[in-house]
Amino acid sequence: MALRAMVRADEIWLSVLAAMVGALGGLCVFIITRITLFLHAILFGLQNGGRLSGLSHLPAVRVILVLGLGGLALGLFSIFVTRIMPRRPVDPIEANALHGGQMSVQDSLVLVCQTLISNGVGASIGLEAGFTQIASAFGSRIGRAFRVRREDLRVLVGAGASGAIGAAFDAPVAGAFYAFELVIGSYSLVSLSPVAVAAVAGVGVTRFLGSVPAAVMIPDAGHLTWHGTAGVVLLSILSALTAIGVMYCVTQTEALFRKMPGPVWLRPAVGGLMVGGLAAIHPSVLSAGHEAMRTVLAGGVVPKMALMLLIMKALASCLSIGSGFRGGLFFASLYLGSLAGVLYGAMLGPLGLAPDSPTACALVGMSAMAVAVIGSPMTMICLILELTGSVTMSGAALVAAVLSLLTVRRLFGYSFATWRFHLRGESIRSAVDIGWMRSLNVRRMMRDQVRTLPSDTPINRAQTLFPLGAAQRIVLVDRDGCYVGMVQMADLHAVAPSTMPIATLSHFPDAMLTPLMTVKDAAEMFGRAEADALVVVEDVQSRQVVGILTEQHTLRRYAEELERSRRTLAGEERFPT
């Protein structure tokens, strides 16, 4: 009973910390949004509160000048920051997957400043990356200040993201599932209470402050009948294919800008000029696209216009991210999806396959596109339910989310976030904690007491020094103490005594482990060498023996850590039986 009472107190304390983190997330959304709208109003001379993408016209010279100079400012700022802070900010997903939830507030503030500059000058990206980054960093900092456990620290990082996304969309349930799916990587009873409390706290703060415009407004969600189900299926698949094309184009645009001659700091300026040229044609490509998407959802965009805006917005987002502007693609994917839904709905309409209204088509396309880009189906299903209050549209969002996820996984394999990790060489596909796998290295598992013998020792001498049963294996070294091979005790005593050097019986001369190899790397080395034990050397060049590791011990430790991780995710360690 005392143990269970202590566990309950611990859960309550974690929920209190999560509420603090969620409230900070809501405050961050308020501050970042207000600063961005202020920059829009000042830089573009707006009188509508800074709502940039909803305009039908902007002076071409001004918009090109603002984006070009803004890109130059971002490039110079990034170069300055890189010189004094050369490390790259850790993303919340990466932090929870690899670093046990440890993030730097200082590094995250740098990314927020870059996001503010990028979105403030009108680059075609969203603010959600800045929201979640700083809110999650505050969660990590508060957790470390109170010295919470590793798994609780990961939950607090997710709580920050939950509060920020919930506040940004005025949708606490969607914010909570964003944290579960993207930042924590799993749903469990352990994380339910703190993440939910954080989402409610974040929304509560923004509602109390009362001056952050709603991210999405849907005047009439429309209706979906059974005969429109086939249209939902086709719309979902087509929107997912469009999302794959956008993600691929972002990667190719980045590659093209990396090949561009000239200094790195000049690339955002070039990209800004290109985006400015597109915005001179139609301003809806600017910023995240909040006001422009409201126009689409209100039925104010005809199919031909939707096609033009879809191409222009996709190109503007690729140019913005590829040239070095910082920000997210979450809200941009919502706008792109609404345009794709209207376009594909108009194509399917003459065949009698489209949903009844353009708004319903836009919502289906929005759901499919966003799931393809961010990889979180339940987030979008809950978001549609909270925004529309329509059960039928939530059902359509469910179908769209599932089909989009299956299409992207089958044809592309990654969401946008995990695809970018893949391009950086990281082998993570979600925020599920695999950091323990990297911290469980050979140095922690090896045995440092090793029986060694010079490789030129005669076999008869070795048989005398190591009688049968004295050890399982002998490690051979040369005159400089470098590893040259290993001899099994059974092999040594299976031959007749002779003056031949023991090196003639050695195996695995080139199969070695190093102390910093992970348990996964060690297991792969055992498989390639087909050995049940391998020598650990300081490094491959010196070949100085520092220990020995058996395959049996490696697999046992791996299984123990895997089971501990499973119990943590399921909440079994927090709620003992």
Side-chain angles (χ1 to χ4, degrees), residues 162-385:
S162 172
I165 295 298
F169 289 91
D170 196 30
V173 180
F177 273 100
Y178 182 94
F180 291 137
E181 293 183 296
L182 259 71
V183 182
I184 299 175
S186 65
Y187 167 84
S188 69
L189 292 177
V190 174
S191 56
L192 173 60
S193 173
V195 170
V197 167
V200 173
V203 173
V205 167
T206 52
R207 287 187 180 180
F208 175 77
L209 296 174
S211 57
V212 175
V216 181
M217 295 177 63
I218 303 174
D220 182 11
H223 300 283
L224 185 68
T225 57
W226 281 109
H227 77 267
T229 305
V232 171
V233 171
L234 294 174
L235 274 173
S236 304
I237 296 174
L238 290 172
S239 298
L241 294 174
T242 305
I244 292 174
V246 171
M247 291 188 284
Y248 180 77
C249 288
V250 167
T251 304
Q252 295 305 307
T253 307
E254 286 180 321
L256 289 175
F257 272 98
R258 282 195 296 268
K259 296 176 181 178
M260 188 183 79
V264 176
W265 52 265
L266 199 59
R267 295 174 188 171
V270 175
L273 292 174
M274 294 179 179
V275 175
L278 293 171
I281 301 173
H282 203 290
S284 68
V285 303
L286 295 176
S287 189
H290 294 71
E291 290 296 321
M293 192 173 75
R294 289 169 188 160
T295 304
V296 176
L297 294 175
V301 176
V302 297
K304 289 184 179 180
M305 179 64 73
L307 174 61
M308 183 189 77
L309 294 180
L310 177 62
I311 295 173
M312 291 177 60
K313 180 63 177 180
L315 182 57
S317 295
C318 292
L319 289 171
S320 297
I321 297 176
S323 62
F325 285 102
R326 300 302 295 267
L329 204 57
F330 184 6
F331 203 93
S333 70
L334 296 178
Y335 179 37
L336 288 169
S338 65
L339 292 170
V342 170
L343 175 62
Y344 297 138
M347 293 169 57
L348 296 173
L351 303 176
L353 297 175
D356 293 337
S357 69
T359 301
C361 294
L363 289 173
V364 171
M366 185 176 77
S367 303
M369 182 79 75
V371 169
V373 171
I374 66 174
S376 54
M378 283 303 301
T379 300
M380 279 310 304
I381 295 168
C382 294
L383 182 62
I384 294 297
L385 179 60

Side-chain angles (χ1 to χ4, degrees), residues 115-140:
T115 303
L116 279 171
I117 295 172
S118 301
N119 196 284
V121 301
S124 187
I125 45 181
L127 290 169
E128 62 278 354
F131 296 155
T132 56
Q133 180 75 28
I134 189 61
S136 296
F138 280 132
S140 177

Side-chain angles (χ1 to χ4, degrees), residues 70-85 106-107 109-118 265 268 326:
L72 182 62
L74 176 65
L76 294 174
F77 175 76
S78 300
I79 289 295
F80 171 75
V81 168
T82 302
R83 290 182 177 177
I84 62 175
M85 297 172 57
Q106 184 179 11
D107 293 350
L109 284 172
V110 171
L111 189 142
V112 169
C113 290
Q114 292 173 323
T115 303
L116 279 171
I117 295 172
S118 301
W265 52 265
R326 300 302 295 267

Side-chain angles (χ1 to χ4, degrees), residues 1 26 38 51 58 110 125 147 156 184 199 214 243 245 247 249 331 371 487 493 518 544 552:
M1 292 295 295
F38 174 76
R51 291 161 179 80
L58 276 174
V110 171
I125 45 181
R147 299 182 178 180
L156 288 177
I184 299 175
M247 291 188 284
C249 288
F331 203 93
V371 169
V487 175
H493 288 275
T518 65
Q544 296 295 311
Q552 181 182 12

Side-chain angles (χ1 to χ4, degrees), residues 426-445:
E426 294 287 357
S427 58
I428 59 176
R429 290 180 177 265
S430 70
V432 173
D433 190 7
I434 61 170
W436 62 267
M437 190 181 299
R438 298 193 177 187
S439 63
L440 183 61
N441 55 28
V442 170
R443 188 184 298 278
R444 290 179 54 190
M445 297 185 295

